[in-house]
Amino acid sequence: MTKAVNRSTEILIFVLFFSIFFFVLPVCPNSADAASLGINASMSATSLKQGGTVALKATANGGTSSYQYKFVYKIDNGSWQIAKDYSSSNTASVKLSSGGTYTLRSIVKDSKNLMVYCDMTANVAKVIQPIANDSTISATKINYGSTIKVTGKATGGDGTYYYYAYQYKAADGSWVTPKSWSTQTSLTIKLPSPGYYAVKVTVKDKDNRRAEKSFNVAVVSKTGKTLANSSAVSATKLASTANLTVTGKATGGTQPYKYSFYYKKTDVSSWTTVKTNQQSAACTFKLSTAGYYNVKCVVTDIDGKQATKTFTVTSTKNTGSALANSSKLNVNTANLFDQNSTVKMQATASGGTQPYQYAYYYKIDNGSFQTAKTYSQTTAYSLKLSKAGKYTLRISVKDVTGKVVNKDYTIESVPTVSASLLSSMTPTKLTYGFAVTVNASNFGSGARYAFYCKKSTDTQWERIQPYTASRTVSVRPRYLGQYIVRAYILKDGKITTQDTVINTELPSQINKEFTILNQIRTENGLKKFSLDNDLCFLAGVRAEELTAKYSHIRPDGTSCFTVYDEYGISFTTITGENIASGYYSANDVVNAWMNSSGHRANILNSRFTKVGLSFNQTQNRWTQLFSD
């Protein structure tokens, strides 16, 4: 045998290295059968990942042409595999599908069947795919006593062989392992009782890569009995920081069961859902706010039939302070109401040990207390004042320990002024926003007088003046319409009442003025004003004040705009006032304003959307108030 790689071959290898730069050129071994035949071989890479492809190329020199090329390979110490059999083509591609060390051999023979070869080595990094669990189960719903078959199947991972473990558990139970790790690819399981089960197959490869797959299985049993709910709660009274556990339990119907859990405060109608249709029979949660609760467990069998059980549970909170009753009534300071009207009693408490309950009582004059509403969680009660007289209203607050604190209020119910009486009285007519003086009859020395007023359609009176020696009061009715002013005269322990009727109205010139203003606004492409009652009231106040001081400064020395705050009426961002004196008609006064730049600017201000108008007819004082 002679040396296959001579000096000429070495030179050729050197040239190929630089002319074909992407190939890797090995040093070839001795030839097997040739005296002068040589081979130069190369491959595209010596390191690659599993599944990659390597390109081989061989070139013969010497010997006797023509040449035939063959390419073979083997992994580690395995047997040779043919990548490409003898042909005139001197290239081949080999896909290296497994990880390991590959030997790739390029062989050439000439026409005299002389042969040489060259071996090259490639290291292939193994690519591990994630292990996938493709296991199956024969059924997900079976009758009690039947079996299910679980078949383990996997792909990925090491891929050579797998181990399987089979487990199951009931909804509230722990895992049971009927078959631990083995190469057994299927298992028949008999589940021990009716219920919902999880059945799990875990697969691992030899390198302990794992994948799980679970199945839900219902084991069905018809009992032949009516579904019954015998659920229980861990406590019916507990601190708001403590956990409440509701344990569902049922008999009858068609097993298995599912459980739903809800709660609500006893004084509301809607339920809060904690969990629905869960297989687990136990549910733990907090009633974090102190109060009286209804807690409900609903059991549903596999046929859809339901049975409900409800519990009353008290969630408590110790505040660490004394129980306090801060209840109130929806009344003003007058505490005077028409007979048959209603008063709202609003219960509020703090301190003590929550939750609270509330009770409502009343008595008339010197009678005994009557129960309007017994203890409950209801925080408000409206009492109808069905009789005339002095009422004592009591709101009682009781905490969960039984501690009670009362709060009493005194109000008075008076007979309603009849419609016939109102119609028989001649009303005093008054410009809206203006004040009027009301005099009570003189009852002589020692008499004391109190005054109340209300709109005729209202039921609650407003006190203008408590009992004093003065029998005269100034009244400024706050709303348009019919008002009643009542004087109470106390003399020698006896009370006499006198009623005065007042009609508040807008002067006739106001509607005409309003029409003219909106015509001007329209002609100038502006949105029409709306006539606002509150602004008309304030305009009336200002029109009356102009008789004392004709100025944008009020008689008390403050800006005209302080009238808003005085009567609790607000504007958003902008307001304006126009005043005038000495004009007898709406046309004249509006023309005068439109001929004055400042007044005209207010009337044509696009930001103003509302207007209030008034007119003092005795002194011809005109007022406009604008606002957004």
Side-chain angles (χ1 to χ4, degrees):
M1 182 178 294
T2 61
K3 197 170 190 129
V5 181
N6 55 27
R7 181 64 178 166
S8 298
T9 303
E10 291 174 351
I11 294 172
L12 179 61
I13 291 172
F14 181 81
V15 171
L16 284 172
F17 179 82
F18 286 97
S19 62
I20 308 175
F21 64 89
F22 61 90
F23 285 125
V24 178
L25 302 179
V27 176
C28 294
N30 294 336
S31 72
D33 304 331
S36 60
L37 181 63
I39 184 172
N40 296 320
S42 62
M43 63 180 178
S44 56
T46 58
S47 297
L48 61 162
K49 291 183 179 180
Q50 180 181 349
T53 299
V54 64
L56 303 177
K57 184 174 182 179
T59 304
N61 58 80
T64 304
S65 63
S66 62
Y67 305 110
Q68 295 283 308
Y69 299 92
K70 181 177 181 178
F71 301 91
V72 296
Y73 66 92
K74 68 177 179 178
I75 181 171
D76 298 328
N77 295 317
S79 57
W80 291 100
Q81 306 291 320
I82 296 175
K84 190 173 184 180
D85 211 346
Y86 281 114
S87 72
S88 60
S89 173
N90 69 336
T91 61
S93 293
V94 183
K95 184 175 182 179
L96 309 182
S97 55
S98 300
T101 300
Y102 280 78
T103 301
L104 298 106
R105 175 170 290 181
S106 301
I107 306 170
V108 63
K109 69 179 179 179
D110 66 5
S111 59
K112 294 183 178 180
N113 286 324
L114 293 177
M115 181 192 73
V116 292
Y117 64 86
C118 184
D119 288 345
M120 295 169 287
T121 301
N123 293 313
V124 178
K126 189 172 184 178
V127 177
I128 304 298
Q129 298 295 328
I131 191 167
N133 191 328
D134 303 317
S135 303
T136 59
I137 194 167
S138 59
T140 56
K141 183 178 179 181
I142 59 173
N143 291 324
Y144 176 54
S146 300
T147 60
I148 52 170
K149 183 179 180 181
V150 185
T151 302
K153 185 180 179 182
T155 56
D158 175 77
T160 54
Y161 54 90
Y162 304 103
Y163 298 96
Y164 301 91
Y166 302 88
Q167 295 175 289
Y168 68 84
K169 72 168 182 174
D172 297 323
S174 55
W175 289 102
V176 177
T177 306
K179 185 71 175 177
S180 191
W181 299 111
S182 74
T183 57
Q184 183 174 326
T185 58
S186 67
L187 183 69
T188 298
I189 301 173
K190 184 176 182 179
L191 297 171
S193 61
Y196 290 99
Y197 289 84
V199 178
K200 180 170 69 175
V201 183
T202 306
V203 61
K204 68 177 180 179
D205 65 7
K206 67 183 183 64
D207 294 324
N208 206 32
R209 301 179 186 89
R210 301 189 182 202
E212 295 180 352
K213 190 172 184 179
S214 294
F215 308 91
N216 292 321
V217 179
V219 181
V220 179
S221 174
K222 287 187 175 292
T223 65
K225 298 179 181 179
T226 303
L227 180 65
N229 188 330
S230 53
S231 303
V233 291
S234 58
T236 56
K237 184 177 180 182
L238 73 168
S240 59
T241 55
N243 287 327
L244 176 71
T245 298
V246 185
T247 303
K249 186 177 181 183
T251 56
T254 303
Q255 301 179 30
Y257 312 118
K258 286 188 177 181
Y259 305 89
S260 299
F261 304 90
Y262 311 87
Y263 71 87
K264 71 177 185 71
K265 284 195 171 181
T266 57
D267 59 339
V268 299
S269 58
S270 59
W271 292 86
T272 297
T273 302
V274 183
K275 289 184 179 178
T276 58
N277 293 320
Q278 70 168 30
Q279 298 174 22
S280 175
C283 182
T284 299
F285 55 96
K286 279 186 174 69
L287 301 172
S288 55
T289 302
Y292 297 96
Y293 289 84
N294 288 333
V295 177
K296 179 171 66 175
C297 175
V298 179
V299 177
T300 306
D301 72 3
I302 201 167
D303 291 333
K305 294 181 179 178
Q306 292 187 335
T308 301
K309 191 168 184 180
T310 303
F311 310 90
T312 299
V313 178
T314 304
S315 174
T316 67
K317 181 181 179 181
N318 191 331
T319 66
S321 58
L323 178 64
N325 186 337
S326 51
S327 303
K328 58 185 179 181
L329 307 180
N330 69 325
V331 301
N332 61 34
T333 55
N335 295 346
L336 190 67
F337 289 82
D338 283 346
Q339 186 178 344
N340 290 319
S341 61
T342 58
V343 174
K344 185 177 181 181
M345 307 165 72
Q346 183 72 54
T348 308
S350 60
T353 303
Q354 300 174 15
Y356 311 117
Q357 287 189 311
Y358 312 93
Y360 305 87
Y361 306 91
Y362 70 94
K363 71 176 180 177
I364 304 174
D365 298 326
N366 294 320
S368 57
F369 275 106
Q370 305 295 314
T371 301
K373 185 173 181 60
T374 57
Y375 279 109
S376 71
Q377 294 181 70
T378 304
T379 57
Y381 181 80
S382 293
L383 178 70
K384 184 176 181 179
L385 307 176
S386 57
K387 295 181 180 180
K390 289 188 176 180
Y391 281 74
T392 301
L393 307 183
R394 171 170 291 176
I395 303 174
S396 292
V397 175
K398 178 171 68 173
D399 73 3
V400 76
T401 68
K403 174 71 175 176
V404 174
V405 178
N406 297 323
K407 194 164 187 179
D408 292 348
Y409 296 90
T410 300
I411 63 173
E412 186 175 357
S413 173
V414 296
T416 304
V417 179
S418 66
S420 59
L421 178 61
L422 288 175
S423 62
S424 66
M425 300 174 67
T426 301
T428 299
K429 293 185 178 181
L430 183 67
T431 297
Y432 184 40
F434 283 39
V436 65
T437 299
V438 176
N439 296 306
S441 299
N442 190 346
F443 273 63
S445 177
R448 297 177 65 80
Y449 305 87
F451 291 88
Y452 295 79
C453 72
K454 75 178 184 73
K455 196 174 181 180
S456 62
T457 55
D458 290 344
T459 59
Q460 187 176 0
W461 293 79
E462 179 184 353
R463 188 172 69 184
I464 308 170
Q465 174 184 297
Y467 279 107
T468 69
S470 174
R471 64 185 185 90
T472 301
V473 70
S474 179
V475 180
R476 193 185 299 273
R478 181 63 183 81
Y479 300 99
L480 276 168
Q482 191 175 62
Y483 264 72
I484 305 170
V485 179
R486 174 169 292 178
Y488 283 78
I489 303 103
L490 176 63
K491 178 71 179 292
D492 299 330
K494 184 179 179 180
I495 294 178
T496 304
T497 62
Q498 292 180 351
D499 291 335
T500 301
V501 178
I502 301 171
N503 279 349
T504 59
E505 56 187 22
L506 293 174
S508 59
Q509 291 278 16
I510 294 304
N511 287 330
K512 188 172 183 180
E513 180 187 352
F514 180 63
T515 300
I516 296 171
L517 287 176
N518 276 336
Q519 287 174 348
I520 294 171
R521 297 272 291 186
T522 301
E523 290 168 359
N524 285 272
L526 299 172
K527 185 178 178 181
K528 290 182 178 181
F529 285 128
S530 62
L531 189 63
D532 185 81
N533 280 350
D534 284 337
L535 290 180
C536 284
F537 172 79
L538 298 181
V541 175
R542 290 289 297 128
E544 188 178 46
E545 290 180 348
L546 294 180
T547 64
K549 183 175 184 177
Y550 182 73
S551 170
H552 291 297
I553 302 300
R554 301 177 69 189
D556 65 1
T558 63
S559 162
C560 60
F561 301 124
T562 61
V563 71
Y564 286 89
D565 292 334
E566 181 178 344
Y567 291 96
I569 297 171
S570 62
F571 60 91
T572 307
T573 57
I574 186 172
T575 187
E577 178 181 82
N578 283 347
I579 61 175
S581 176
Y583 297 94
Y584 291 91
S585 72
N587 274 324
D588 290 343
V589 72
V590 173
N591 284 334
W593 278 328
M594 289 299 292
N595 288 320
S596 167
S597 60
H599 299 93
R600 177 187 177 91
N602 276 341
I603 293 172
L604 298 182
N605 191 327
S606 61
R607 295 178 64 187
F608 291 143
T609 58
K610 299 177 181 180
V611 67
L613 309 173
S614 192
F615 172 46
N616 184 334
Q617 300 176 72
T618 60
Q619 296 191 25
N620 292 333
R621 299 287 196 262
W622 300 78
T623 308
Q624 293 180 330
L625 284 177
F626 307 91
S627 177
D628 58 350

